[in-house]
């Protein structure tokens, strides 16, 4: 696969995420009929808007794959932080709640609960308890500076969050809530490095990928945000 850049030849796309239906908790992803593999690749160069890698989404039927071709070499001029290190994914279902997307009436009604929670664990803002950080499929986007929902250009409805590709799995505070126990230092309980992929999208930002499940062709769009 390639992506055309202004004033350049086509460059190889970089594989970012691959997930099999059988490996994911039930209901996390709505796979199109006849597919069981989700693949996300992106162009590892910054594009004009948003200023981030440009992702594309593919759905495959694993039974139809006859030969797996070797991945093309990454363009040496590609942004280093846009080429993830190979990782094995161990999907885990977690329960999360909206923070930026929480309806205003509920946010007002729960202010006292939020205050008590903040007093109990003062190292984290409420959003640290609400939404899981890091690379994730489904769930609520963990916005940095504000909501970045995208409307479908075909039908006009708000698109669904499919995937977040984040620079870090967690930060110096949120690991206390979200980092799996098996990934912590056994001696003192502190976190091991929280960037196993080696990604650095902008200023420790994230790329949010959306899809429209109301249109038959399942169009996708994305948004980039950073702190």
């Amino acid at each position: 696969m390639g992506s055309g850049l202004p004033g350049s030849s086509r460059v190889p796309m970089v594989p970012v995420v691959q997930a099999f239906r059988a490996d994911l908790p039930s209901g996390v992803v709505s796979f199109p009929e006849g597919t069981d593999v989700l693949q996300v690749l992106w162009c590892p160069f910054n594009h004009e808007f948003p200023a981030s890698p440009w992702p594309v989404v593919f759905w495959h039927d694993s039974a139809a794959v006859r030969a797996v071709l070797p991945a093309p070499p990454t363009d040496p001029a590609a942004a280093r932080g846009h080429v993830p290190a190979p990782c094995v994914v161990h999907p885990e279902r977690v329960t999360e709640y909206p923070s930026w997307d929480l309806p205003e009436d509920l946010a007002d009604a729960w202010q006292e609960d939020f205050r008590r929670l903040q007093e109990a664990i003062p190292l984290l803002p409420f959003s640290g308890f609400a939404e899981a950080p890091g690379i994730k499929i489904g769930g609520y986007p963990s916005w940095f500076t504000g909501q970045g929902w995208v409307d479908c250009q075909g039908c006009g409805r708000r698109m669904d969050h499919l995937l977040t590709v984040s620079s870090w799995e967690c930060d110096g505070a949120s690991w206390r809530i979200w980092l799996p126990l098996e990934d912590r230092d056994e001696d003192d309980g502190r976190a091991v490095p929280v960037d196993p992929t080696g990604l650095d999208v902008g200023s420790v930002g994230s790329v949010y990928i959306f899809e429209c499940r109301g249109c038959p062709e399942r169009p996708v769009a994305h948004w980039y945000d950073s702190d």
Side-chain angles (χ1 to χ4, degrees):
M1 299 297 299
S3 175
L5 291 173
S8 74
S9 59
R10 294 173 66 85
V11 300
M13 300 288 277
V14 172
V16 180
V17 173
Q18 176 173 277
F20 289 80
R21 184 205 296 262
D23 294 333
L24 296 177
S26 176
V28 170
V29 176
S30 175
F31 281 81
E33 185 177 356
T35 69
D36 62 349
V37 182
L38 164 64
Q39 285 186 330
V40 178
L41 296 84
W42 68 26
C43 174
F45 292 87
N46 280 335
H47 289 247
E48 291 184 6
F49 182 82
S52 72
W54 194 277
V56 291
V57 174
F58 296 97
W59 305 93
H60 298 290
D61 176 8
S62 60
V65 177
R66 294 290 177 263
V68 178
L69 301 176
T74 302
D75 191 305
R80 193 160 134 194
H82 295 173
V83 182
C87 294
V88 176
V89 178
H90 300 282
E92 176 183 1
R93 183 191 289 273
V94 299
T95 300
E96 57 178 8
Y97 303 92
S99 57
W100 283 90
D101 295 300
L102 186 67
E104 187 174 347
D105 58 337
L106 291 179
D108 292 340
W110 292 346
Q111 277 303 312
E112 182 60 23
D113 297 303
F114 298 158
R115 185 190 64 78
R116 288 199 297 268
L117 189 61
Q118 186 66 51
E119 289 179 350
I121 309 180
L123 293 174
L124 285 175
F126 170 68
S127 61
F129 301 92
E131 298 151 351
I135 298 175
K136 62 181 177 182
I137 296 176
Y140 294 100
S142 300
W143 310 116
F144 283 106
T145 60
Q147 299 180 29
W149 292 107
V150 178
D151 292 334
C152 177
Q153 294 186 359
C155 67
R157 71 183 289 270
R158 191 178 82 173
M159 304 179 85
D160 299 294
H161 174 240
L162 173 64
L163 175 74
T164 293
V165 181
S166 181
S167 297
W168 286 1
E169 286 303 290
C170 49
D171 58 27
S174 62
W175 70 267
R176 292 173 170 83
I177 300 296
W178 296 106
L179 192 70
L181 294 177
E182 58 268 24
D183 290 340
R184 304 184 184 204
D185 189 292
E186 294 182 359
D187 295 330
D188 56 17
R190 291 182 301 179
V192 297
V194 295
D195 56 346
T197 63
L199 288 172
D200 186 6
V201 184
S203 177
V204 195
S206 295
V207 175
Y208 308 91
I209 302 174
F210 307 94
E211 65 167 347
C212 180
R213 297 172 189 163
C215 291
E217 64 274 20
R218 297 281 285 268
V220 297
H222 74 283
W223 178 257
Y224 161 73
D225 195 13
S226 67
D227 59 4

